[in-house]
Amino acid sequence: MKKQLIIKKQFIATALIAGFTLASLSQTALADSSRRFKSTINTSAVNTSAINTPIRAVRINVVLSDDLIYRANHLSKNLRHRPHNYRDGFEGHGFYGERDLNHLAEHLKTKLGKQLSKHGIAISDDADAVLNVILKNVQPTRPTFYQRTKFPSLSYESYGLGGAGFEANLVVDGKDSGSTTYAWFATDLYDAQFSGTWSDTRRAISHFARKTAQSLKHD
């Protein structure tokens, strides 16, 4: 009877710890994902010619935020994002690897180009309109290759809540013509177990690209 009681207490303690961890992750992700897409871009206002010519072409610049560049090879400077111990690197929000982040930046640029083209806006390096995009934050759904080399206790079977955050501004003829902000992070761990390393981040990129292209469309 005493042994059963001890086992029961251990089970309850484990369940409470797991529940607290999942709740904390969900609350953090929910706070980020609640950020709706915001845009101050007004194509009617930026096209000030007599015939109000809409934007026909745009040049896309995509860069990583300074924070992401740092976290490619380091843990986050934010102590709240540090792992509780060095066997728990997946919650460290860092060591993503330069290669992974560069691929995400290229993927973001490609997605934006495809969505803008769907709305009749060509992509050209000679365009007077420039869309400057910052990939501010990312979180993988599963540990990256570099994370697994830094923390051997991690494996590809590990998973969490992924997503991404963005900022962009439109410059036309050298003048600031509005900006956009957006962030999306998953809130349900059930889906994560069926996802790849950057599945949630790529989903966030798709959302951002579609919404941004719609905001540049001239009605």
Side-chain angles (χ1 to χ4, degrees):
M1 183 69 179
K2 185 176 181 180
K3 184 178 181 180
Q4 290 178 341
L5 182 61
I6 293 174
I7 293 174
K8 185 175 181 180
K9 286 182 177 179
Q10 290 175 337
F11 173 79
I12 292 174
T14 302
L16 286 173
I17 293 172
F20 176 76
T21 302
L22 292 179
S24 299
L25 286 171
S26 298
Q27 288 174 2
T28 302
L30 184 60
D32 287 329
S33 66
S34 64
R35 288 183 55 192
R36 296 181 179 180
F37 180 81
K38 297 179 181 179
S39 175
T40 61
I41 293 175
N42 184 341
T43 54
S44 295
V46 301
N47 296 301
T48 57
S49 65
I51 58 174
N52 198 29
T53 305
I55 295 174
R56 297 298 186 188
V58 68
R59 174 159 51 96
I60 303 174
N61 290 329
V62 176
V63 298
L64 302 173
S65 68
D66 290 341
D67 179 54
L68 267 189
I69 292 173
Y70 179 83
R71 287 193 286 147
N73 298 298
H74 304 85
L75 287 177
S76 172
K77 294 179 181 180
N78 188 334
L79 296 180
R80 293 189 297 108
H81 292 165
R82 293 293 183 92
H84 299 297
N85 59 69
Y86 281 92
R87 290 186 297 177
D88 184 22
F90 189 46
E91 292 185 17
H93 294 253
F95 291 118
Y96 295 145
E98 293 178 8
R99 184 177 180 180
D100 278 49
L101 295 183
N102 288 334
H103 281 172
L104 288 175
E106 285 298 320
H107 180 67
L108 173 56
K109 185 175 182 178
T110 299
K111 278 290 185 180
L112 281 166
K114 289 181 177 179
Q115 286 295 329
L116 287 167
S117 296
K118 285 183 179 180
H119 290 285
I121 302 174
I123 308 303
S124 172
D125 290 338
D126 299 322
D128 294 328
V130 183
L131 183 65
N132 296 305
V133 184
I134 301 175
L135 183 55
K136 288 187 64 64
N137 183 28
V138 297
Q139 178 66 26
T141 308
R142 295 183 186 274
T144 67
F145 175 79
Y146 191 42
Q147 284 178 326
R148 297 199 300 274
T149 64
K150 297 297 290 186
F151 300 96
S153 62
L154 293 175
S155 75
Y156 190 72
E157 299 303 315
S158 308
Y159 57 85
L161 300 171
F166 316 85
E167 284 184 4
N169 79 295
L170 180 67
V171 177
V172 180
D173 293 328
K175 297 180 180 179
D176 188 354
S177 302
S179 62
T180 67
T181 59
Y182 181 66
W184 184 90
F185 288 81
T187 58
D188 189 347
L189 273 175
Y190 177 79
D191 293 333
Q193 62 187 310
F194 307 110
S195 300
T197 302
W198 294 107
S199 294
D200 290 326
T201 298
R202 288 174 177 268
R203 184 179 302 177
I205 287 173
S206 294
H207 294 333
F208 174 74
R210 175 174 51 81
K211 292 174 182 291
T212 299
Q214 290 173 346
S215 72
L216 267 67
K217 182 181 177 181
H218 181 72
D219 297 321

